[in-house]
Amino acid sequence: MADARSKKSNQPFAAIQRLVVTVAAIVFSVFSVFGPFSSSAMAQATGNRATFPKNFDEYVHYATYDRGSSREEAFATRETLEIAKSGRPLPPGTQLVLGIWADYKLTGYFVMEKGVDWGLSVPEEQRTGDWHFQQFDTNMQVSRTAFAERCQSCHGSQADNDFMFTTDRMRAYVP
């Protein structure tokens, strides 16, 4: 009888405990997708809008830069390469991808993406047209959100080439 009473008195506590665990799971799920610690929120917090291309499997490898055991491989869509060959500026929505290799192993990607008026969110002295930059791991997930400043500082020297280093390689690409 004492055993039955003990179980009955623990029922409200157990119900409250289950409720707390359920609410905590829901809150954690919402925060991990939409909250201040989600990768998209972190990217937005730094003003970075570059995303990994959903159609990366359709991209063309148009250039390789070997540096000993390090390598960079440049990718773009066929349409982007045709626009570059024509001499027209690359339009908003363009995404360029650089595969990064170290010690003969793919370690990640850098994405350079152009958007409408994206440069307005960057201080003028750091602006690289309307391009934003982001680093991704080999699973195509944001790897670092503070990297944009380093990319911007180098690409800023290429204003005459729409802030790109590979324009000549894009124009020279032959399928």
Side-chain angles (χ1 to χ4, degrees):
M1 187 82 162
D3 211 19
R5 229 180 289 154
S6 173
K7 282 183 183 175
K8 240 183 185 182
S9 66
N10 283 338
Q11 284 178 347
F13 177 74
I16 291 171
Q17 194 175 24
R18 282 193 302 273
L19 179 63
V20 168
V21 169
T22 302
V23 170
I26 291 168
V27 169
F28 175 78
S29 296
V30 168
F31 269 96
S32 66
V33 174
F34 302 107
F37 304 111
S38 69
S39 59
S40 61
M42 292 295 282
Q44 290 301 320
T46 61
N48 191 331
R49 299 179 189 172
T51 60
F52 200 88
K54 291 180 183 4
N55 62 337
F56 183 60
D57 59 328
E58 299 171 14
Y59 274 49
V60 174
H61 174 208
Y62 69 88
T64 299
Y65 302 92
D66 283 314
R67 296 177 180 89
S69 65
S70 296
R71 164 185 262 189
E72 295 174 354
E73 296 177 336
F75 298 88
T77 63
R78 291 185 190 285
E79 178 186 20
T80 296
L81 294 171
E82 290 304 316
I83 293 169
K85 285 178 183 233
S86 76
R88 296 182 317 227
L90 298 181
T94 298
Q95 292 175 298
L96 304 175
V97 178
L98 198 61
I100 305 299
W101 295 72
D103 295 323
Y104 307 101
K105 180 182 174 195
L106 180 65
T107 60
Y109 300 94
F110 293 131
V111 173
M112 181 176 178
E113 183 173 355
K114 192 176 198 179
V116 176
D117 294 331
W118 282 7
L120 298 177
S121 66
V122 178
E124 190 171 348
E125 64 278 1
Q126 297 173 355
R127 200 169 290 160
T128 48
D130 288 318
W131 293 100
H132 280 203
F133 306 87
Q134 186 62 272
Q135 182 181 12
F136 295 85
D137 63 22
T138 56
N139 294 316
M140 295 138 195
Q141 300 299 310
V142 171
S143 179
R144 229 183 338 186
T145 57
F147 190 80
E149 293 80 18
R150 200 168 111 201
C151 291
Q152 289 167 329
S153 67
C154 281
H155 282 267
S157 68
Q158 297 297 308
D160 292 342
N161 291 316
D162 194 20
F163 303 96
M164 296 182 295
F165 286 99
T166 63
T167 303
D168 59 333
R169 292 289 194 82
M170 294 173 94
R171 291 181 178 154
Y173 173 75
V174 178

Coordinates of all heavy atoms in Angstrom, one line a residue, residues 5 16 28 31 53 58 84 86-87 110 116 120 129 131 142 145 155 169-170:
R5 N 1.0 4.4 -2.8 CA 0.9 5.8 -2.4 C 2.1 6.6 -2.9 O 2.0 7.7 -3.4 CB 0.8 6.0 -0.9 CG -0.4 6.8 -0.5 CD -0.5 7.0 1.0 NE -1.0 5.7 1.5 CZ -0.8 5.3 2.8 NH1 -0.1 6.1 3.6 NH2 -1.3 4.2 3.2
I16 N 5.2 17.0 -14.5 CA 5.9 18.3 -14.6 C 7.2 18.1 -15.3 O 7.6 18.9 -16.2 CB 6.0 19.0 -13.3 CG1 4.6 19.4 -12.8 CG2 6.9 20.2 -13.3 CD1 4.5 19.9 -11.4
F28 N 14.8 24.5 -27.8 CA 16.1 24.2 -28.4 C 16.0 24.1 -29.9 O 16.8 24.6 -30.7 CB 16.7 23.0 -27.8 CG 18.0 22.6 -28.5 CD1 19.2 23.3 -28.2 CD2 18.1 21.6 -29.4 CE1 20.4 22.9 -28.8 CE2 19.2 21.2 -30.1 CZ 20.4 21.9 -29.7
F31 N 15.4 27.5 -31.5 CA 16.6 28.3 -31.5 C 17.6 27.8 -32.5 O 18.3 28.6 -33.1 CB 17.1 28.5 -30.1 CG 16.6 29.6 -29.4 CD1 15.6 29.5 -28.5 CD2 17.2 30.9 -29.5 CE1 15.1 30.6 -27.8 CE2 16.7 32.0 -28.9 CZ 15.6 31.9 -28.0
P53 N 25.8 27.2 -53.2 CA 24.9 26.9 -54.3 C 24.2 25.6 -54.2 O 24.9 24.5 -54.0 CB 25.8 27.0 -55.5 CG 27.1 27.4 -55.1 CD 27.2 27.3 -53.6
E58 N 26.1 21.1 -60.8 CA 26.0 21.5 -62.2 C 27.2 22.5 -62.5 O 27.3 22.9 -63.7 CB 24.7 22.2 -62.4 CG 23.5 21.3 -62.3 CD 22.2 22.0 -62.3 OE1 22.2 23.2 -62.7 OE2 21.2 21.5 -61.9
A84 N 30.8 36.0 -68.6 CA 32.1 36.5 -68.4 C 32.8 36.6 -69.7 O 33.5 37.6 -70.0 CB 32.9 35.6 -67.4
S86 N 31.5 37.1 -72.6 CA 30.9 38.2 -73.4 C 31.4 39.6 -72.9 O 31.2 40.6 -73.6 CB 29.4 38.1 -73.3 OG 29.0 38.7 -72.0
G87 N 32.0 39.6 -71.8 CA 32.5 40.9 -71.3 C 31.5 41.7 -70.5 O 31.7 42.8 -69.9
F110 N 35.2 28.3 -50.5 CA 34.8 29.7 -50.3 C 33.8 30.0 -51.4 O 34.0 29.6 -52.5 CB 36.1 30.6 -50.5 CG 37.1 30.4 -49.4 CD1 38.4 30.2 -49.7 CD2 36.7 30.4 -48.0 CE1 39.4 30.1 -48.7 CE2 37.7 30.3 -47.1 CZ 39.0 30.1 -47.4
V116 N 21.7 42.0 -55.1 CA 21.2 43.4 -55.4 C 21.4 44.3 -54.2 O 20.9 44.0 -53.1 CB 19.7 43.4 -55.8 CG1 19.2 44.8 -56.0 CG2 19.4 42.6 -57.0
L120 N 25.6 47.9 -50.0 CA 25.1 48.9 -49.1 C 25.2 48.5 -47.7 O 25.2 49.4 -46.8 CB 23.7 49.3 -49.5 CG 23.5 49.9 -50.9 CD1 22.1 50.1 -51.2 CD2 24.4 51.1 -51.1
G129 N 31.9 45.9 -54.3 CA 30.7 45.9 -55.1 C 29.6 45.4 -54.3 O 29.4 45.8 -53.2
W131 N 29.3 42.0 -53.8 CA 29.7 40.7 -53.5 C 29.8 40.5 -52.0 O 30.3 41.3 -51.2 CB 31.1 40.4 -54.1 CG 31.1 40.4 -55.6 CD1 31.6 41.4 -56.4 CD2 30.8 39.3 -56.4 NE1 31.5 41.0 -57.7 CE2 31.0 39.7 -57.7 CE3 30.3 38.0 -56.2 CZ2 30.8 38.8 -58.8 CZ3 30.1 37.2 -57.3 CH2 30.3 37.6 -58.6
V142 N 28.2 26.3 -43.2 CA 29.0 27.5 -42.9 C 30.1 27.1 -41.9 O 29.8 26.4 -40.9 CB 28.2 28.6 -42.2 CG1 29.0 29.7 -41.7 CG2 27.2 29.2 -43.3
T145 N 32.0 32.6 -39.9 CA 31.2 33.7 -40.3 C 32.0 35.0 -40.4 O 31.5 36.0 -40.9 CB 29.9 33.9 -39.5 OG1 30.3 34.0 -38.1 CG2 29.0 32.7 -39.6
H155 N 40.0 41.2 -52.3 CA 39.2 41.4 -53.5 C 39.0 42.9 -53.7 O 38.7 43.3 -54.9 CB 37.8 40.7 -53.4 CG 38.0 39.2 -53.6 ND1 37.8 38.7 -54.9 CD2 38.3 38.2 -52.8 CE1 38.0 37.4 -54.8 NE2 38.3 37.1 -53.6
R169 N 40.7 33.8 -66.4 CA 40.5 32.3 -66.5 C 39.1 32.0 -66.9 O 38.8 31.0 -67.7 CB 40.8 31.6 -65.2 CG 42.2 31.7 -64.7 CD 43.1 30.8 -65.7 NE 44.4 30.5 -65.2 CZ 44.7 29.5 -64.4 NH1 43.8 28.8 -63.8 NH2 46.0 29.3 -64.1
M170 N 38.1 32.8 -66.5 CA 36.7 32.5 -66.9 C 36.6 32.8 -68.4 O 35.9 32.0 -69.1 CB 35.7 33.4 -66.1 CG 35.7 33.1 -64.6 SD 34.7 34.3 -63.7 CE 33.1 33.5 -63.8

